[in-house]
Amino acid sequence: MEQADATQYLDEPEMSVYPDLDYVPSFPWLGRSDAGQDVHHAESIPQSVDSIVHEGFVTEDPEFLAETVSNGFSSSRIEPASLEESAFGPERFGTQNYTSKDPNDSSLDPDFQFVDDIDISDELISEAGSDFHSLGESAPSVRDTRGPSSGRPRGRGRGGRGRGGKSGRGGKGIKKGLRKPLEPSQEFKILHSQATTAFIDHDYDKAEDLAQQAILVNPEMFAAHSLLSEIHMARGDKGKALTALFHGAHTRPRDAQVWSKVAQLILERAGDNRVSGLKDAIYCYNRIIGADATNVDARYQRASLNRELGYRGKAAYEYERLLKQLPHDTTVLRHLAEIYIELGEVGRAKQHYDDSVEHYRARESGQDTKFSWSDLNIYAELFGYLGQYEEGISKIKSLSRWLLGRGPDDFWDGFNGDDREWDADDEPRRSQVHDFLPGTYESAAYGEGLPLELRVKIGVYRLRSSQSHLGEAISHFEWLDPDDDKPTAKLFDYPDLFREAADVLRLTNNHNASLRFYEPLQQVSDYTDASFFMDMAECYRAIDLSAEAEDCYQTIIHNDSGNIEARVQLAKMYEELGMSERAVMYVNEVIALGRVEGASKSPKKNGPSKTAAVTIAESSAPTMLASRPVRQRSNNAAGQKSEGEEVQEDNFDMLYSQMHGLKKKLRLDDEHSTAEWMKKAGILIQDFRSNKVFYPSDKHMRFFGYSKEARTKALKPKASQAIEEMEAMAGRLQVSPGEEDVSIPDDYRNIPFHAWLDVFLQYALLLAQNSDTKSSYDIISAASDANVFYHSPDAMFLIHVCWFTCALIANDEETLCNVARWFMKEFQFVTDGYRLYSTLNRVCDSSKSWYNSGPSQKYILRQVKAMDFSLVGEDRRKSLFQEKASYTTKDEQGNQIQAQEMDVALLMLYGHILYAGTSYSYALNYFFRAYALDPGNPMINLSLALGYLHYALKRQSENRHYLIMQGFSFLFTYHDIRQSSQIITEKQEAEYNVARAFHMLGLAHLAIPYYEQCLALSAHVQKTNLTSSSEDFAMEAAAALQDIWATSGETDMARAVTEEWLVV
């Protein structure tokens, strides 16, 4: 479609407010195969698919597209169905249930894979969610058109059985494409004529009956369906009219006008069920685009409806397609910019505008271009979202000059420090420019010609880029004339610009200047909301105008009796001014409102509930009353214990005393004492686990005691930050916020909680030693879930130490990795956490390695990303990281702890995980990062050496000799560092490792001297072992030498080495 033709669609009022399954329908009247099946014809799917939007990113990767489309497309065969049997019968259609209810259902949009709402395409497809399908027997499947990766011979369609390219049985001689509709029968003509006559005579009952008979005779005739629709419309029944027209539209699968009319009727009668109506309308536009993918009007409507449904990715894809059909169309650009801003992909929108600006500037003059001031304003807004203020100022000035007809005056681009070009007069600044020639252009092409929206934006960007540009920014804002109080003031035409200027001045701490633009806005009621008065009060407080700030807060409270933030700020201000009584009043009001808000959010219980309309006076009255501390008893209810409870508690005391007496024999591994201790411990643990106070429905609920009041406090929702601040202020002002001071017990059954923890952990260790690993884990998990331990960092630390100890006993590497991850999460950016992970995997004797499993590798990578994210600057974070880092550790004040420096241990850990997975080239990247931080570390040099050597042995390596030389370079550096050590074992280790490297490469003659040197150092190592425990590599070196001599035929030398070193 030509661009000139397409733009006429943009001017049509009905198409800009609306926004698919693109397939060819199947009908009985299109013909039958010999086997009795309906014969359906579909156009061949194109060999190429346009770029699709995937999670906000456009890709041209043909393999990705092939996979996406082939997975989304389907082809099937159906039996013929009558109108009454159709899924789109009057009953279902009347309730608009003829499309999928799940917006993410692939049957609603087969091209959409369940990754957000983004991947769609305009290929010819069949719709799995309806009773209308395209067989696709005459068209190759998408996978078949994508090349050898499909796994099938090219040219054979999905399910095809015939020969010579024929698909299916009975398909011989069938031509592609829709067949010409059959001629109506004589009976149909008579019935249709009679129905038309009755309709003209307003005999609608007779007309309806005759029209339905005509449809039964020839259901493929659209005229009968259309007449039936008109009959229902004349009666005022739009629902039935729509149903009839919808069924008739399927007889005209390529008639865009019919499907468009159906879509409009659907939207008109959508009513409250707007979502369902939108989906049904999209189905209609899918049919239009399926018949003609270049239909601009239908694509506009589909894009708009997808956006209204929240499918921003699909809408972005549609506008991308439209932009290909209508290159540089400004209307499409505007819609695309809005969607990409919502998707957070502002850079894509900016790139489209960059291309279009370059296009228009190269081909058109500024005064005759389709690129308008409005488009420039949108383009300039994108720079603000991206934080590119300097570039935004430059583009605004350059394009404004071009639109005003001064494009050749590019010498102004050199004046980046100020905006003298846009002064109102030539004097004093503009005339000082050497290249400026007064009178070349009229004055309206300079300061007066720049729209106020763009002028204010320049001022905002000036102030955002640097505080030193305050004067230049104020000079732009002065064009708003904030002191003008006449009815014709610019305030009433540009209130949004006043607010924008005031906000940026406030955010840059220019409060006096900000108030010049805030105060006039009080005359515009649409802009005087709560946020406006809060911002203005902030400015007043900053310049010590407390009375004016108080008026602003009181105005908010007067108009919004439930506003908490205004009361919080008032309380803070009164506290700063020393007005304690007034501060206390607002503290109580905030706490009372917080309680009402919390009660409204909490789940409803049986019985009458208090209304949320409780007055502040009623709710806040008790908060002034202080209560004395109440010591709780360790029983299940407040008050005195019953006699039975006292006896039961005495029994547990005795049981615990007996366990304590068995501890000594337990430590000596006495079997009888161990069994007796475990029996008594099981009874105690069962009683502890049966108490629901320790195991609430939400383990995040803290333990406050056993009484009813304590449980109520535990179930109370967490207060908001504002409530917490007011409670803290109440403490400073020596006012109780109305909570009863409850002392939290630290024991259960007169046994301290730390003793209970010892019982749990000791019992779990004994179970693990008895090979009952599952029960051991169950006991540890029960301890970690108990709220008295869950909220204690020390208890959780001991629990996880016991957990990995049990896992070590059971050689359970998977559990070891999971527990080690807890330590890395709780002690993020602590080197010992990463060393613990490596150590636990090293000492575990397991046949299956979880050390470099997928979940573990991804977790360690997230730790590396979090470390990198916290160490780079803000600008690099935006350009290098797609998502924020996840910090998992907080300090005592609740602030997230970030990395202060690179952790070599973390880099080496992730490098070794990659190395263990034979990803040597990727591992080398992290080894080199560690090497840059600690080049003299022998382990880093050894890791680099082994990485290069093993990479050289891989089949894919391109330059083996280079890689081997690189590896030995680092290996000899490692050897030199170890040889300079004073520890004899480290010297022997270096000799053995160098020998092993030569041996691995088959260079036995070079390995032998190092093996022999390793053996020579063994005597010194043995002397060292008398005073300290160290490792001796003599037996390993001797075994390697034995292998070398034996394989080379030197049996005598092999025997000598064996007898000297390997015979015990």
Side-chain angles (χ1 to χ4, degrees), residues 738-814:
E739 295 290 346
E740 185 178 349
D741 189 6
V742 179
S743 179
I744 302 175
D746 58 0
D747 60 355
Y748 174 64
R749 303 293 191 192
N750 291 329
I751 302 173
F753 286 133
H754 66 83
W756 279 105
L757 181 60
D758 291 341
V759 172
F760 270 91
L761 301 186
Q762 183 66 57
Y763 189 64
L765 287 171
L766 292 173
L767 288 172
Q769 291 173 359
N770 292 334
S771 301
D772 193 355
T773 308
K774 184 177 179 182
S775 299
S776 172
Y777 291 164
D778 182 59
I779 294 298
I780 299 175
S781 179
S784 66
D785 290 340
N787 55 4
V788 290
F789 304 136
Y790 181 83
H791 296 282
S792 171
D794 294 337
M796 292 300 290
F797 183 88
L798 292 174
I799 287 171
H800 283 83
V801 169
C802 179
W803 210 327
F804 75 64
T805 304
C806 294
L808 280 174
I809 295 173
N811 282 324
D812 185 357
E813 190 174 3
E814 181 182 5

Side-chain angles (χ1 to χ4, degrees), residues 1013-1026:
Q1013 182 64 24
C1014 180
L1015 294 175
L1017 292 172
S1018 177
H1020 299 285
V1021 174
Q1022 295 298 328
K1023 292 179 181 179
T1024 306
N1025 286 343
L1026 297 176

